Amino acid sequence: MSKILIRAMVLPMTGPDMFYPQGEITIEDDRILSVGGLGSAPAGFAPDRILDLPNDVVMPGLINTHTHAAMTLLRSYADDLPLMPWLNEKVWPFEEKLTAEDIYWGTALALCEMIRSGTTTMLDMYVSMEQVAKAVLKAGTRAVLSRGLIGNGPNGERALQENIDLVRCYHGAGNGRVNVMFGPHAPYTCSGEYLQKVKAEADRLGVGIHIHVAETRDEINIIKELYGKTPVQWLDELGLFGGHVVAAHCVHLTPKDMEILANRHVGVAHNAESNMKLSSGTAPITELLAKGVVVGLGTDGASSNNNLDLFGEMRSAAFQQKLRVDSTVLPAYKVLEMATVVGAQTLGLKDVGMLAPGFKADLITIDMDQPHFYPRFSVPAHLVYVAHAGDVRSVIVDGKILMAERKVLTMDVKRVCQEAETRAKRIWMELNG
Ligand code: NI
């Protein structure tokens, strides 16, 4: 049995007024045992490890609700292009050259970056997902995995079978660290019939659905032309929103779309930086939150961001809405909730995202003893408007220390970087050599 005691400032994310300037957390195996002020540890608790970090803030690990982890291999490979040429001429030809092993190393690179930037959970959509699962199990993080399904392509049926196999082999793996959803790519890459087939399989296996929705104006026009309605309304009529669904992007929505997302309890993954970089538009997050929609934050793939840093994403999400609406919307604590407790709700994870007894011990510490964190008027404001990835000192997932003093303990980071570099350059040579 492993027992850890952490002494630090504690931001448990259990309510806007909850903060312990001198706090204490105890962890037993994979779960949090107690959270409180100094001296609150249960009597007789004998830790085998003590993290004495009085100038660190300990908070729940960040949750990335939409990404394509292995796309780190395409980081800064193609930028500053319109969306369709970017996809058709750059991204898709590169991805066609990826082997299963490349995807393992690309994901490993993403996970190293995530651990180093305080992200403990991701929702991923890609191919060769068994490689992604292996990388997650090795890294020690938490993940929800979905096989990207292009129903209109020649491999739609095979891909669906791979997603079914992924559920069978990995749903609940690693002491519940890995979960699986179905990943139909988007309304414009899957027919209605295919989407209903995916939904039937998801219901049969008791898992959710992860899909891109209403990302670009083009998508709205395509779906309107094909079916005479918006993507959200079309998916709703197909019955796709009956169970647990994560809809990534949701940039272009009508008021009726927003009502549907709220009434059907669809989780929205908001990707502010990807939407800006690809010029997709500005999602109506303020309005979605006002309607009670559950909205988490995502980075999307590294090729449209170009990093997986949720601290940057929090700041961008806040600033984007302030620019769009007014300076009072999306205050710092609200954004922190989207990156932690609400992010967990978006993914349907019931025991992560908060520091509370009985919850999974997924937490990070941030070194606040640096010039950019003084004076300390507001810790939530510091975390959203000031902090960056490099401020994360420690990462614990499922009660296991994954990073201490910025050293990743579960992965050989140097080797991962070298493998990623070699493999990405090999593909570049195949395409351009
Ligand atoms: Ni995406």
Side-chain angles (χ1 to χ4, degrees):
M1 189 176 277
S2 105
K3 291 183 177 182
I4 303 173
L5 170 68
I6 305 172
R7 292 195 194 103
M9 295 178 264
V10 179
L11 185 70
M13 296 308 299
T14 48
D17 300 325
M18 294 302 291
F19 179 67
Y20 301 95
Q22 292 179 302
E24 204 165 78
I25 293 183
T26 57
I27 298 169
E28 195 169 77
D29 293 329
D30 58 338
R31 298 212 179 246
I32 294 168
L33 191 61
S34 69
V35 180
L38 273 188
S40 64
F45 185 79
D48 13 74
R49 181 94 189 246
I50 298 175
L51 301 180
D52 226 333
L53 304 166
N55 278 304
D56 279 29
V57 168
V58 58
M59 64 175 289
L62 304 180
I63 296 176
N64 190 339
T65 61
H66 178 70
T67 191
H68 313 279
M71 288 186 87
T72 49
L73 293 179
L74 287 83
R75 195 194 321 263
S76 302
Y77 165 67
D79 297 291
D80 315 320
L81 293 168
L83 183 69
M84 288 330 283
W86 175 74
L87 280 175
N88 286 322
E89 291 159 33
K90 295 291 181 178
V91 173
W92 288 338
F94 193 105
E95 287 185 322
E96 265 173 40
K97 301 278 183 191
L98 288 170
T99 65
E101 241 186 286
D102 294 335
I103 287 167
Y104 175 87
W105 289 104
T107 306
L109 183 68
L111 294 171
C112 288
E113 184 186 353
M114 286 184 188
I115 292 171
R116 299 254 299 174
S117 54
T119 295
T120 53
T121 299
M122 68 165 175
L123 170 55
D124 198 47
M125 180 195 286
Y126 216 54
V127 298
S128 297
M129 292 307 291
E130 71 293 342
Q131 298 293 328
V132 178
K134 282 176 191 160
V136 168
L137 290 171
K138 170 89 169 74
T141 56
R142 195 175 298 283
V144 184
L145 308 180
S146 59
R147 205 297 189 186
L149 308 169
I150 310 279
N152 297 349
N155 300 321
E157 292 306 316
R158 187 171 55 84
L160 181 56
Q161 188 56 48
E162 285 178 19
N163 209 146
I164 293 166
D165 295 342
L166 190 71
V167 177
R168 291 228 172 87
C169 295
Y170 288 102
H171 191 56
N175 194 37
R177 278 193 292 114
V178 175
N179 282 295
V180 178
M181 294 173 80
F182 280 83
H185 171 260
Y188 60 95
T189 51
C190 298
S191 68
E193 192 191 353
Y194 186 83
L195 286 168
Q196 284 175 324
K197 204 175 319 180
V198 171
K199 168 71 174 141
E201 289 298 335
D203 287 349
R204 187 172 66 83
L205 295 166
V207 301
I209 289 176
H210 174 205
I211 182 168
H212 296 89
V213 180
E215 181 175 2
T216 63
R217 267 275 163 243
D218 284 348
E219 173 184 338
I220 306 298
N221 294 337
I222 291 168
I223 298 301
K224 196 148 264 177
E225 197 155 301
L226 281 172
Y227 310 110
K229 38 189 81 99
T230 68
V232 168
Q233 286 159 31
W234 184 58
L235 293 175
D236 188 40
E237 282 181 26
L238 286 174
L240 205 80
F241 294 155
H244 176 227
V245 176
V246 179
H249 298 293
C250 294
V251 174
H252 302 282
L253 301 174
T254 64
K256 189 175 166 200
D257 291 342
M258 292 191 224
E259 292 292 339
I260 292 171
L261 294 174
N263 293 338
R264 299 287 190 202
H265 306 290
V266 173
V268 169
H270 174 45
N271 305 266
E273 293 192 348
S274 174
N275 294 158
M276 287 193 279
K277 185 160 185 282
L278 297 176
S279 197
S280 303
T282 313
I285 299 306
T286 307
E287 291 85 336
L288 285 171
L289 293 174
K291 288 196 189 308
V293 177
V294 173
V295 183
L297 298 180
T299 57
D300 213 351
S303 62
S304 61
N305 189 298
N306 291 354
N307 62 40
L308 306 174
D309 172 9
L310 276 176
F311 284 97
E313 202 63 44
M314 282 196 282
R315 190 159 44 244
S316 295
F319 287 1
Q320 197 192 53
Q321 290 304 307
K322 289 172 193 302
L323 180 63
R324 194 182 144 263
V325 185
D326 69 56
S327 58
T328 65
V329 301
L330 274 204
Y333 191 82
K334 187 91 206 160
V335 181
L336 280 171
E337 285 183 326
M338 292 166 79
T340 55
V341 54
V342 177
Q345 287 167 13
T346 310
L347 303 191
L349 300 174
K350 292 191 171 56
D351 53 2
V352 298
M354 279 200 294
L355 305 184
F359 271 58
K360 287 281 192 177
D362 288 13
L363 45 92
I364 60 177
T365 82
I366 291 115
D367 174 10
M368 288 263 166
D369 195 16
Q370 306 184 72
H372 55 288
F373 289 125
Y374 286 96
R376 288 185 192 148
F377 284 123
S378 164
V379 165
H382 272 5
L383 291 169
V384 174
Y385 303 135
V386 182
H388 49 80
D391 299 325
V392 179
R393 186 202 302 273
S394 353
V395 175
I396 295 177
V397 175
D398 222 33
K400 193 175 169 201
I401 300 177
L402 307 188
M403 182 169 84
E405 297 299 334
R406 289 205 59 70
K407 184 173 168 40
V408 178
L409 304 174
T410 48
M411 310 278 272
D412 181 345
V413 176
K414 203 169 173 192
R415 161 124 201 255
V416 170
C417 292
Q418 282 166 352
E419 285 281 356
E421 179 73 8
T422 307
R423 289 165 187 277
K425 289 290 166 63
R426 183 204 81 232
I427 294 172
W428 191 92
M429 285 300 290
E430 287 173 22
L431 291 167
N432 302 295

